[in-house]
Amino acid sequence: ITAQGSAHLITLKNPTVSNDLPNSGTGTYNAIRGGTAPTVLFATNGSIQPEVVGNLTTASISVNFSTGAANASFAGSFADGGNGGTFTLSGENTTAFNNSTFANVPLSGSVVSAQISHTNSNCSSSCALTGRTDMQIVGSTGQGIGGVFDATTLPRVGGRPVFGVAGSYLLEQTSNQQNFNFQFLQQ
């Protein structure tokens, strides 16, 4: 299988060290402060279409600092040559931040687009997605979270998914916005 599409990376200069994380409480990071716009590849009638740049409309990561559990959710939209498409992803890792400020969360969700199709499948009502996000808590005391996410459909065309999305993000707590000078690499 030949890789297609853009690569997404984010550089985080100030990772939080484990000892500087709060010992209790929950941090909800949901203010999008940076990252790359998600890129999308999809098949129409079994043919892979040119990559499109979409929008990350919402992103939220909640961390329970007492248990290390993390919940992540992402939603976005993209042009599909028709009425447009949308994707949603969410997941949980109950031990994500137990021993580190770097973690991953498995994601599942759906994509809806009347333009995504192949012989055995059509995503006009929805197709299942599976993926993951890798993330790092940043700032001197965990003011933000940055990372990358990706997901693909389970229906395959010639071994390839009929839809794939990837992007990067930098999130800050809405309740604690302090206009930190986060630096990120944008594609």
Side-chain angles (χ1 to χ4, degrees):
I1 297 174
T2 304
Q4 284 186 279
S6 298
H8 292 264
L9 19 132
I10 188 164
T11 302
L12 304 167
K13 291 186 174 190
N14 301 312
T16 305
V17 295
S18 293
N19 293 343
D20 289 341
L21 287 177
N23 293 326
S24 63
T26 300
T28 301
Y29 302 86
N30 55 8
I32 300 172
R33 295 292 304 263
T36 57
T39 52
V40 172
L41 279 170
F42 61 91
T44 299
N45 296 323
S47 296
I48 301 294
Q49 302 301 300
E51 182 179 64
V52 296
V53 176
N55 297 301
L56 183 61
T57 52
T58 62
S60 180
I61 297 173
S62 294
V63 178
N64 180 324
F65 291 109
S66 300
T67 66
N71 290 292
S73 63
F74 303 92
S77 61
F78 58 96
D80 65 1
N83 293 327
T86 59
F87 66 88
T88 58
L89 297 164
S90 63
E92 177 181 25
N93 181 339
T94 58
T95 60
F97 292 106
N98 277 353
N99 299 312
S100 175
T101 62
F102 180 79
N104 69 71
V105 172
L107 300 171
S108 60
S110 63
V111 59
V112 176
S113 167
Q115 302 302 311
I116 300 174
S117 61
H118 69 88
T119 337
N120 301 324
S121 180
N122 180 318
C123 298
S124 59
S125 58
S126 102
C127 286
L129 295 176
T130 183
R132 70 182 275 152
T133 181
D134 293 288
M135 63 188 93
Q136 171 76 55
I137 298 177
V138 295
S140 61
T141 56
Q143 292 93 348
I145 290 185
V148 295
F149 69 94
D150 66 87
T152 61
T153 53
L154 299 175
R156 304 275 175 171
V157 175
R160 290 191 237 171
V162 295
F163 172 85
V165 61
S168 67
Y169 56 89
L170 180 63
L171 307 176
E172 186 179 359
Q173 295 182 59
T174 302
S175 61
N176 192 30
Q177 283 188 335
Q178 299 177 19
N179 295 317
F180 293 101
N181 185 21
F182 291 123
Q183 295 180 355
F184 59 94
L185 172 66
Q186 187 158 353
Q187 182 177 7

